[in-house]
Amino acid sequence: RDSNLTDADDSTNNGTGSGSFVANISGLNPATKYYVRAYATNVYGTAFSNSTSFISLGSIVKVTDIDGNIYNTVQIGTQTWMVENLKTTRYNDGTPIPNVITLRQWNTLTTGAWCYFQNNTTWWPQFYGKFYNWYAVNTGLLAPIGWHVPTDADWDILINYLGGSSVAGGKMKSTDGWVSPHSTATNSSGFSALAAGIWGPTSS
């Protein structure tokens, strides 16, 4: 449920009179999105605050790639998404993926490869993982076994669940690092998308 929450839904009673009140919520499903809002009742009726949402913690599924990198996941609707980008240097059958560091070579490739944005090895790997070209993605062996690189259909399901293309982006973006015109980033979905970049013919 979202902003349509009423006192007919699950609720707690946390005191009377004026002041600050704290509600403790238990029995939540792990890695699940919940909506909450405060309410107050007096002789004139019941008034509600705006709703807010959060993703519950708990037994969140973790994914391990063939290199031993561990990734967190988040449940959004019927889908489970990895929260971090891939960092693997090998396909899931053990075959190495070449690291191509020159833009000239990258632009002429017809086989799979990975790189860091502008070959930044100082802090980029920690936050952003690796860039892979289409040939690596198209092998079907890039993601950990049992997982796959999302298809257009997967993205459409996610976008529709989050309310459509006009609002889904803000719900998917991390609240860190985005500036105008992306200042509506809320990350209410828990997807945690970061502002990154591209590496291709127009890159420096």
Side-chain angles (χ1 to χ4, degrees):
R1 301 289 294 276
D2 50 20
S3 58
N4 295 319
L5 287 170
T6 71
D7 53 358
D9 294 293
D10 292 336
S11 61
T12 62
N13 188 334
N14 303 292
T16 60
S18 60
S20 299
F21 302 93
V22 176
N24 295 312
I25 306 174
S26 60
L28 302 180
N29 294 322
T32 301
K33 186 176 184 178
Y34 288 91
Y35 291 90
V36 295
R37 65 174 175 170
Y39 72 97
T41 300
N42 60 23
V43 295
Y44 299 104
T46 300
F48 294 88
S49 71
N50 293 328
S51 64
T52 187
S53 63
F54 64 92
I55 306 293
S56 59
L57 300 178
S59 302
I60 300 175
V61 174
K62 292 183 181 290
V63 182
T64 304
D65 68 25
I66 196 168
D67 283 350
N69 299 301
I70 299 174
Y71 308 90
N72 292 310
T73 64
V74 62
Q75 183 78 23
I76 307 176
T78 60
Q79 299 173 306
T80 303
W81 292 81
M82 290 170 56
V83 177
E84 296 101 353
N85 289 331
L86 281 172
K87 304 173 184 176
T88 184
T89 61
R90 293 182 290 165
Y91 296 113
N92 61 31
D93 66 354
T95 303
I97 307 171
N99 173 207
V100 173
I101 62 173
T102 67
L103 188 57
R104 180 185 297 273
Q105 184 181 2
W106 183 269
N107 290 337
T108 60
L109 285 171
T110 58
T111 55
W114 70 266
C115 69
Y116 292 125
F117 179 63
Q118 296 182 335
N119 294 310
N120 184 323
T121 60
T122 303
W123 53 266
W124 187 270
Q126 178 182 356
F127 296 102
Y128 292 98
K130 294 179 171 62
F131 279 175
Y132 301 91
N133 66 4
W134 166 245
Y135 300 103
V137 174
N138 200 38
T139 63
L141 300 172
L142 185 57
I145 292 175
W147 293 76
H148 66 269
V149 176
T151 64
D152 285 345
D154 292 327
W155 287 112
D156 286 341
I157 292 171
L158 176 63
I159 291 168
N160 290 333
Y161 177 78
L162 294 177
S165 58
S166 63
V167 296
K171 296 178 180 180
M172 294 166 61
K173 294 172 184 173
S174 169
T175 55
D176 297 321
W178 292 94
V179 296
S180 180
H182 306 286
S183 54
T184 58
T186 65
N187 199 32
S188 61
S189 68
F191 189 86
S192 303
L194 297 173
I198 61 172
W199 207 41
T202 59
S203 302
S204 58

